[in-house]
Amino acid sequence: MRNKNIAKAFLSVMTVSAVMTSFKVLDVNADDNNQSNNSSVDVSNTNNVSVISSELNSQNFFDKLGPLAQRIANKNDLYPSLLLAQAAIESAYGQSSLTQSSNNLFGIKATNGQGINTSTTEFSNGNSYTTNSTFSTYPDLLSSLQGYADFLNNNIRYSNVHRSMAPTVEQAAINIQADGYATDPAYSNKLISFINQNNLKTYDSGSVPSNNKQDNNTQNNINNQNNNSNQSQPEQPTQPVTRPEQPKKENITKYVGSDGKETFKLSNKYRTYKLYNHVKGTTRNIRSYGWNKSLNSSKKVFVDCLGIRNYGKNESKWYRIRLSEHSKKKYWVYSKALEMPKVNYIKENKEVTVNTNTHSNVYNHVFNSPYLSKKVKENKDLVDDSYHTSAKAIIDNDGVRTEWYRIYIPGTGNAWIKSKDLSNITRHKEFKNNYNNKSGYAYLNNYGKYRLYNDMPGSSKRAKVTNWDDVKVPSDYLITYDKSGVKGKDNTNWYRINLNNKNYWIASGALKF
């Protein structure tokens, strides 16, 4: 009996050693301008993963996989809580036959026909049925976790599941069901309920819960759960010193590339931010540069990459810009140095027809939005008679409003197309600006956050902005105005004021009467 106990203790130590080894194979720091989108993980040092897989159950699932899943999710701009919830539900806490035989935690199907063929439950029109499918196999659980991240990264239709696109994990859960990850009509509700019942959002905030135990009620809701999952496990020695660093201490940067044809205007306060050779804080070899004195806030710059930097709970967005279209010099700048267009997203399901006679493109995101975009196809290459939309976006760029629709393209996934390239939709109503001859005096009040225009925004696509640095503000802040108007889009009041013998339009909020 004593020999058995010694052997049992030795096996426990070896198991913990294998877990800690698997934690160390990830490098989450990004410090290269040419960082690849390929997030593959070196698993050459991961040993005894089959032992770890066989020991997973509802009592230790999050303790064993939580920190590793958290690292992979953070590196790939995903919600750790959603990744863990899907892994636990899809694999029945690692006890499913699919996970035990092929280390497949997420039920991801094989695309090349090679894998393990087994039965699965699918849904059609709200009714469940059993069928056979071929599922991917992985050498270990680490590869399965990374395979899930790669699957979402490589399939454009799941782009709205990423943290940079979904403002909350609840929205990400809704999106992943809408994008077709699972056929179960209640899939997103199950995910959200599971995340809340198990307090998994703590992983999103950068902390790793200790002794996270699965609620028994939730456990009963998972199909194929092993009846013996509550049996006691060998006590494992605690090793707080060797526990992997928490993500809140790590510098994680996710990069999103684009075609480089999108432009943003410099903001009024762009000169308070410096230009850098890379995202600030991601490498020791950071160099800063000053702005050209000839620039002003109406200047458009070309953008080709977005960098989302997470340091603990703090997130900052950076853009790589060119000061002219064909310039070979590129600089990184903090997002607040740029004037971002406002984009409003709403759900809209309808059937639309694409006009393939236009020389336009469809993109993976709304063109010229803060998320940046890449061309997916040309309109002329869309061969189907009709397409289904799932969302609508209204982008407002200096008063110029453009509508986009997200359509599903078979074999490609979700993509965004301009409303003007669709032939059977009702476009937004055009609102006209109203002008009045009204004169008087007023004081500039909190004017710095408002912009000066040569005309009311929305009245002309040629509306230009003047930087406050380029005008002389009266010392007593008293100005005259000779016209007023109502902006048709939002019914806001505007006034044409005179500064330095020149006329400018400004919103009434900048004036005190």
Side-chain angles (χ1 to χ4, degrees):
M1 179 64 70
R2 185 180 175 207
N3 290 335
K4 288 183 179 181
N5 290 335
I6 294 175
K8 192 174 183 180
F10 176 76
L11 178 59
S12 297
V13 173
M14 291 300 293
T15 300
V16 172
S17 175
V19 174
M20 302 316 300
T21 300
S22 69
F23 287 150
K24 297 178 181 179
V25 300
L26 283 174
D27 178 12
V28 297
N29 292 305
D31 58 3
D32 189 346
N33 255 344
N34 299 318
Q35 177 173 323
S36 170
N37 288 332
N38 188 343
S39 305
S40 60
V41 179
D42 178 13
V43 295
S44 58
N45 295 325
T46 305
N47 301 316
N48 297 330
V49 178
S50 61
V51 175
I52 299 174
S53 176
S54 65
E55 289 189 353
L56 287 178
N57 57 54
S58 63
Q59 300 300 307
N60 63 18
F61 187 87
F62 301 120
D63 286 339
K64 284 185 176 290
L65 294 185
L68 185 58
Q70 190 178 45
R71 284 180 171 225
I72 290 177
N74 286 337
K75 185 178 180 182
N76 289 277
D77 189 30
L78 300 170
Y79 283 98
S81 60
L82 182 61
L83 184 151
L84 283 168
Q86 287 191 267
I89 292 175
E90 296 285 352
S91 72
Y93 299 109
Q95 294 295 303
S96 72
S97 59
L98 181 62
T99 302
Q100 292 294 311
S101 61
S102 62
N103 290 310
N104 190 329
L105 287 165
F106 298 92
I108 293 178
K109 295 177 181 178
T111 56
N112 57 5
Q114 298 180 355
I116 181 171
N117 189 275
T118 186
S119 62
T120 181
T121 300
E122 301 286 358
F123 288 80
S124 177
N125 297 322
N127 299 316
S128 63
Y129 63 95
T130 301
T131 185
N132 276 32
S133 296
T134 302
F135 292 86
S136 298
T137 60
Y138 300 94
D140 46 59
L141 295 179
L142 177 62
S143 298
S144 179
L145 291 169
Q146 185 59 54
Y148 166 85
D150 292 341
F151 177 77
L152 297 186
N153 289 335
N154 295 333
N155 286 275
I156 189 174
R157 70 176 185 270
Y158 294 115
S159 59
N160 59 354
V161 179
H162 291 79
R163 296 186 76 159
S164 57
M165 291 289 288
T168 64
V169 68
E170 289 84 359
Q171 186 60 55
I174 293 171
N175 291 344
I176 201 168
Q177 177 185 333
D179 294 339
Y181 188 94
T183 57
D184 182 354
Y187 191 67
S188 61
N189 291 334
K190 291 179 180 178
L191 289 173
I192 295 170
S193 176
F194 188 89
I195 289 169
N196 291 330
Q197 288 178 5
N198 291 279
N199 196 28
L200 296 185
K201 287 184 182 179
T202 53
Y203 287 94
D204 298 338
S205 63
S207 60
V208 179
S210 60
N211 297 324
N212 193 329
K213 302 298 183 182
Q214 169 59 29
D215 184 278
N216 288 331
N217 293 329
T218 306
Q219 177 181 346
N220 294 332
N221 292 332
I222 298 181
N223 295 329
N224 301 323
Q225 175 66 35
N226 191 305
N227 293 329
N228 296 324
S229 62
N230 291 323
Q231 292 179 354
S232 60
Q233 299 296 315
E235 183 178 353
Q236 297 184 358
T238 57
Q239 298 183 7
V241 177
T242 59
R243 192 178 182 92
E245 291 185 1
Q246 306 301 319
K248 65 181 180 180
K249 297 181 180 179
E250 295 173 327
N251 180 16
I252 304 168
T253 306
K254 170 74 174 180
Y255 297 91
V256 179
S258 74
D259 293 332
K261 297 181 179 180
E262 292 159 293
T263 60
F264 296 140
K265 287 185 178 181
L266 296 176
S267 69
N268 283 331
K269 297 183 178 181
Y270 76 95
R271 289 191 180 276
T272 61
Y273 304 97
K274 294 182 179 181
L275 297 164
Y276 295 91
N277 63 324
H278 199 64
V279 176
K280 186 178 180 181
T282 57
T283 177
R284 295 180 181 178
N285 301 318
I286 289 289
R287 296 190 300 273
S288 62
Y289 309 92
W291 294 91
N292 190 313
K293 293 182 179 179
S294 64
L295 296 175
N296 55 60
S297 61
S298 63
K299 168 71 176 177
K300 285 186 176 182
V301 296
F302 290 82
V303 184
D304 67 3
C305 192
L306 163 65
I308 304 171
R309 181 187 176 223
N310 287 279
Y311 188 78
K313 296 181 180 180
N314 299 319
E315 179 183 280
S316 60
K317 293 183 178 181
W318 297 72
Y319 289 89
R320 190 170 63 186
I321 66 172
R322 307 186 311 280
L323 298 181
S324 62
E325 183 176 6
H326 302 293
S327 175
K328 294 182 179 179
K329 293 183 179 181
K330 299 181 179 182
Y331 306 96
W332 285 92
V333 67
Y334 185 45
S335 60
K336 289 188 177 180
L338 304 175
E339 186 75 18
M340 294 295 168
K342 296 179 180 179
V343 187
N344 181 33
Y345 295 91
I346 57 177
K347 288 184 178 180
E348 186 145 341
N349 298 306
K350 60 174 59 178
E351 189 173 287
V352 296
T353 302
V354 176
N355 182 2
T356 56
N357 294 324
T358 62
H359 298 285
S360 301
N361 304 316
V362 291
Y363 299 87
N364 63 335
H365 295 308
V366 176
F367 184 80
N368 225 74
S369 73
Y371 297 122
L372 304 187
S373 64
K374 285 185 178 181
K375 184 179 80 171
V376 175
K377 283 181 178 291
E378 294 183 12
N379 285 8
K380 64 181 182 180
D381 296 327
L382 302 178
V383 297
D384 290 350
D385 293 333
S386 62
Y387 295 87
H388 292 280
T389 71
S390 58
K392 175 182 176 181
I394 303 171
I395 182 169
D396 189 334
N397 198 341
D398 267 343
V400 179
R401 169 174 161 159
T402 309
E403 292 182 353
W404 293 74
Y405 284 85
R406 187 173 67 188
I407 62 175
Y408 180 76
I409 304 174
T412 299
N414 287 327
W416 289 90
I417 186 170
K418 273 186 178 180
S419 63
K420 72 174 186 178
D421 295 324
L422 303 175
S423 59
N424 59 334
I425 63 169
T426 302
R427 294 174 178 81
H428 72 277
K429 181 180 178 181
E430 295 288 348
F431 295 96
K432 293 183 178 180
N433 295 337
N434 295 317
Y435 297 87
N436 299 300
N437 291 322
K438 183 179 180 180
S439 60
Y441 295 89
Y443 290 93
L444 292 173
N445 182 50
N446 294 326
Y447 61 90
K449 63 182 180 179
Y450 296 91
R451 308 187 76 172
L452 296 168
Y453 294 86
N454 66 327
D455 202 344
M456 263 194 294
S459 60
S460 170
K461 292 186 177 181
R462 296 184 298 275
K464 295 181 180 179
V465 178
T466 297
N467 189 6
W468 283 102
D469 294 337
D470 298 330
V471 298
K472 184 178 180 180
V473 177
S475 58
D476 58 0
Y477 303 105
L478 181 65
I479 56 91
T480 62
Y481 60 89
D482 62 357
K483 282 183 179 293
S484 66
V486 177
K487 186 178 173 184
K489 176 190 169 185
D490 53 15
N491 288 323
T492 54
N493 294 315
W494 289 69
Y495 289 85
R496 191 173 75 172
I497 66 175
N498 185 278
L499 290 172
N500 315 137
N501 296 320
K502 289 186 178 181
N503 293 324
Y504 304 96
W505 283 89
I506 193 168
S508 61
L511 304 176
K512 185 175 182 180
F513 299 92

